[in-house]
Amino acid sequence: MVLAGPSILGLAFLLLGCSSSSPRFRSSDTRTEHIVQDEDEFRFASKIREETAKEDDKKVDVTSLQKKLSQKSAYINITPQGLNRDELLLDVVSFLGVPYQYGGNSREGVDCSGLTCNIYSSAVKQQLPRSTKEQYQMGTPVDKIDLQFGDLVFFNTTGRKPSHVGIYIEDDLFVHASVISGVTISSLESTYYKNRFLGARRVVE
C-alpha cells in the first residue's frame, strides 16, 4: 500500500532545512547574535521579581513623570557637554513601556544594555558596546554623589558584576529595561537598587 503525502526524500529535505545550519537558526539573528551579561538577569528573573516586589519601596509614578519629561528642558541641572538633554529625554519617553526581551534591541522588545545602546546611538550619536560588562569599562568612574544627567549606572542584581545598567536622569531617578516592568523609571534610593548599586560611568564629557 502506498501512503499519501510527502516522500521520504522530501521529508528528509524538510528536516535538513530546519537544522542548526539553516538561516532560521543561525546566530546572525539580530536579537541573539551577541552573548551579553544580561543573560544572568534573564535567568534569575523570577528571583528578581520576588525581591523587587519586597524591596522596591520607593515606587516612581512613571505616568506623571512621563508627562514632565515630555516637556522640553523639564530638568535644568548640570549636563555633560556633548549631550543633548532634550533629545535624550524624548528618546527615554519613547521607550517607556517597551517590554523586556533578552537580546532585544528595538521598541518591540529590549534588554538593559540594548536600551542604553539605542538611546546613546540616537540621542548622543555614540555607539556603546553591546554588553553591560563592556559598557562598565567605558569612560570614567563617577561617585554616586556626583552623578549627572546621562551617566550610566550599574548594578549587581545576580551575584555577577555588573549585571544590570541604566541611564541616570536626575533626582535619584534612572531609566532602565526591567525584567519585570519593561522600560521604566526607578529610584536609586529604592532599597533593592540602593543595595545593589555597583557604580557609575560617564562616557560623554
Side-chain angles (χ1 to χ4, degrees), residues 38 41 48 52 56 58-60 62 65 69 88 91-93 95-101 110-117 119 132 151-155 157 163-169 172-188 190 192-193:
D38 310 72
E41 185 122 344
I48 293 170
T52 51
D56 190 1
K58 243 191 159 175
K59 294 287 185 184
V60 175
V62 177
L65 189 60
L69 294 178
L88 193 148
D91 259 20
V92 165
V93 170
F95 266 98
L96 288 176
V98 170
Y100 182 91
Q101 179 183 323
V110 70
D111 61 19
C112 65
S113 56
L115 176 69
T116 53
C117 278
I119 290 180
T132 303
D151 288 342
L152 298 178
V153 286
F154 296 88
F155 305 86
T157 56
S163 56
H164 191 58
V165 60
I167 299 175
Y168 183 71
I169 300 175
D172 295 320
L173 301 177
F174 68 102
V175 62
H176 62 126
S178 159
V179 172
I180 303 166
S181 309
V183 179
T184 189
I185 294 172
S186 299
S187 171
L188 287 174
S190 161
Y192 180 82
Y193 292 109

Side-chain angles (χ1 to χ4, degrees), residues 132-144:
T132 303
K133 181 179 180 181
E134 290 172 309
Q135 291 180 16
Y136 188 59
Q137 296 166 351
M138 288 192 69
T140 55
V142 180
D143 288 336
K144 196 173 183 181

Side-chain angles (χ1 to χ4, degrees), residues 23-36 101-111 113-115 117-118 130:
R24 294 175 55 198
F25 292 87
R26 285 179 190 158
S27 60
S28 58
D29 186 321
T30 55
R31 292 175 300 176
T32 56
E33 62 185 352
H34 53 275
I35 300 173
V36 295
Q101 179 183 323
Y102 169 63
N105 197 32
S106 72
R107 285 177 173 78
E108 293 181 359
V110 70
D111 61 19
S113 56
L115 176 69
C117 278
N118 263 280
R130 184 57 178 85

